[in-house]
Amino acid sequence: MRHSLRTRLTLSFLVAIAVTAGLVVLLANLITANQFRGLVSIAGQRYAQRLAPVFADYYAAAGGWDGVEDLMVYTQDTSRGPPPHAPMPRHVMPMSGMMNPGDERLLLVDVEGRVIADSMAEASLPQDLASNLDKGAAIVVDGRQIGTLIVYSGLGRLTSSQEDFLRQVNVLMLIAGGVAVLGVLIVGSLQARRIVRPVRALAAAAHRVAGGDLSQRIPVTSDDELGEMAAAFNTMAAELERQHELRHRAMADIAHELRTPLSVLQVQLESIADNLTEPSPEVIAGLQNDLAHLNRLIEDLRVLTLADAGELHVEAEPVEINGLIRDIVERVRAAARSEGVVLNTELPAGALRVTGDAQRLTQVLLNLLTNALQHTPPGGQVIVGAQQIGREIYVTVQDTGEGIAPDDLLHVFERFYRADRARSRDTGGSGLGLSIAKSLVEAQGGTIAVESELERGSVFTVMLPQKGA
């Protein structure tokens, strides 16, 4: 039979408290009964010691134990008056509290252990009476012990009223245990409902997410583990939704990036085939440019796919950063001059070495420089710098271009993302350069970050560790 989580939690609480309450009641009963019997025994022995002088006076006045049964009746109920055939005994003060003199059984035993008188002669004598004479009170007349007075409760036996009292205590304990179980059942049920409610909400939201509804979120109603679970689910759902949107946009961008050059190639080839266009060197050069763009796009996608799968191959070797930066800057200096952009370097005098892949680092810096030149207007400046801080090398590419808006700054490393969506692939690239740079840097154990301000320019910073250098 399948039970819900709430039922199992409630039953678990109930069983735990029932077992605990049962053990507590049992142990409390045993301890209470033992302690109560001990107190009753001590009280009975003290009561016997208080009555012993009364029986000694009676023996001295009567010259024996004749009619002592009437004295026993009087000690248990003083309202009946003293025995008529004996002198007035001293005033009897029965003990109060847990002892009821009218319910007590008195035993008068001679020095040889024989019972002389019994206030409840019809009841059977205890078998261990002879071995418990020390729990009675000695009756002494003229310095000689003539008998022993035993109060039955002094032997540890409870009277009917004492048994009733102990029974009432046990009943109260059972009632208290029952109330505790009932209280735990109510509190446990409420607590189980509180625990199960967000779990059910999470399960329902997870089913809807599995069905394709990535907009699902569950309310965070507490700051405990359940609240953390809800927050983690919301974070996961938000990331899934974001990744889904990125994949959808990436697929659309890939289709667009591939469709445009392919369409141009198709039109130009059909024109050549129909003799509408002469296959001149200029036309063939244009076709080659389109093919080169397709090859670059496919290679970029391949690199990103390898990075996602953790299979991007990196040749780790000592690399001198200053020399690498100078070589790359010289490669793009002509392009910067044609754009009217000043290209400079700010490098320390000493050598800066890291362990990395020189080819991959070259690709990273080329992507960053190309991006900076595209976004820097004529008359602007691009500065490539490097410095060592601790055991890390920081390479910066700073431009005085148009800058990046704060809303776009969070997405510049996403694939196919362009801050200006109106840019074409010819003016703005495919939107993969910064994504590739990030993947290549992280594959070598580094990080990349960007700071930017509109109309002031941007600074891209690559951090490379010096491990093994």
Side-chain angles (χ1 to χ4, degrees), residues 226-240:
L226 293 174
E228 293 178 2
M229 179 181 67
F233 174 85
N234 292 339
T235 301
M236 179 196 69
E239 182 63 20
L240 286 175

Side-chain angles (χ1 to χ4, degrees), residues 320-331 345 347-349:
E320 205 284 303
I321 291 296
N322 288 346
L324 182 67
I325 291 175
R326 292 188 184 98
D327 292 341
I328 296 172
V329 168
E330 290 304 318
R331 289 171 58 179
T345 60
L347 303 175

Side-chain angles (χ1 to χ4, degrees), residues 163-459:
E163 289 283 1
D164 290 339
F165 172 77
L166 191 58
R167 193 176 300 110
Q168 291 174 5
V169 172
N170 293 335
V171 170
L172 290 176
M173 288 183 181
L174 290 175
I175 293 175
V179 171
V181 171
L182 180 60
V184 169
L185 179 61
I186 296 174
V187 174
S189 179
L190 296 175
Q191 187 70 7
R193 179 185 299 177
R194 175 181 173 274
I195 294 174
V196 170
R197 186 185 297 112
V199 174
R200 287 178 175 171
L202 175 63
H207 283 300
R208 287 191 287 270
V209 168
D213 184 5
L214 300 179
S215 64
Q216 288 297 311
R217 304 292 186 272
I218 56 178
V220 180
T221 57
S222 63
D223 57 356
D224 55 10
E225 288 81 357
L226 293 174
E228 293 178 2
M229 179 181 67
F233 174 85
N234 292 339
T235 301
M236 179 196 69
E239 182 63 20
L240 286 175
E241 187 175 23
R242 190 180 74 88
Q243 291 296 330
H244 177 74
E245 293 175 355
L246 289 176
R247 284 194 299 270
H248 179 75
R249 191 174 68 194
M251 293 302 296
D253 287 337
I254 290 173
H256 172 74
E257 294 293 334
L258 292 174
R259 183 173 59 249
T260 301
L262 286 175
S263 298
V264 173
L265 284 172
Q266 182 180 3
V267 170
Q268 290 181 339
L269 289 174
E270 288 177 352
S271 297
I272 293 174
D274 294 337
N275 294 320
L276 298 176
T277 302
E278 288 290 332
S280 63
E282 292 80 6
V283 172
I284 292 177
L287 294 174
Q288 289 176 337
N289 287 335
D290 289 332
L291 287 174
H293 175 75
L294 284 174
N295 284 330
R296 287 195 302 271
L297 177 60
I298 293 172
E299 177 61 20
D300 289 346
L301 291 173
R302 187 185 72 85
V303 171
L304 290 174
T305 301
L306 292 175
D308 288 342
E311 299 175 357
L312 187 62
H313 184 63
V314 175
E315 291 287 348
E317 59 183 4
V319 178
E320 205 284 303
I321 291 296
N322 288 346
L324 182 67
I325 291 175
R326 292 188 184 98
D327 292 341
I328 296 172
V329 168
E330 290 304 318
R331 289 171 58 179
V332 299
R333 190 176 296 280
R337 188 179 298 112
S338 66
E339 296 288 340
V341 176
V342 179
L343 183 57
N344 291 321
T345 60
E346 293 182 354
L347 303 175
L352 297 178
R353 292 184 174 85
V354 297
T355 299
D357 190 320
Q359 182 180 355
R360 300 298 189 186
L361 291 176
T362 298
Q363 188 175 359
V364 170
L365 291 176
L366 283 174
N367 284 347
L368 293 178
L369 276 172
T370 301
N371 183 75
L373 292 175
Q374 288 176 348
H375 295 278
T376 302
Q381 184 179 20
V382 174
I383 302 174
V384 183
Q387 62 176 325
Q388 179 174 350
I389 301 177
R391 297 289 297 173
E392 297 170 341
I393 302 297
Y394 289 83
V395 178
T396 58
V397 177
Q398 181 178 359
D399 64 66
T400 58
E402 60 198 34
I404 305 171
D407 292 341
D408 295 321
L409 201 60
L410 300 175
H411 307 286
V412 292
F413 293 109
E414 294 177 3
R415 298 166 192 183
F416 296 103
Y417 187 85
R418 299 188 184 95
D420 184 0
R421 301 300 295 176
R423 285 181 177 267
S424 68
R425 63 182 178 87
D426 296 324
T427 60
S430 65
L432 295 175
L434 293 179
S435 298
I436 292 175
K438 183 175 185 291
S439 298
L440 294 178
V441 170
E442 291 178 348
Q444 299 178 74
T447 59
I448 185 170
V450 59
E451 296 178 1
S452 185
E453 186 177 350
L454 285 175
E455 308 302 332
R456 298 290 297 273
S458 305
V459 180

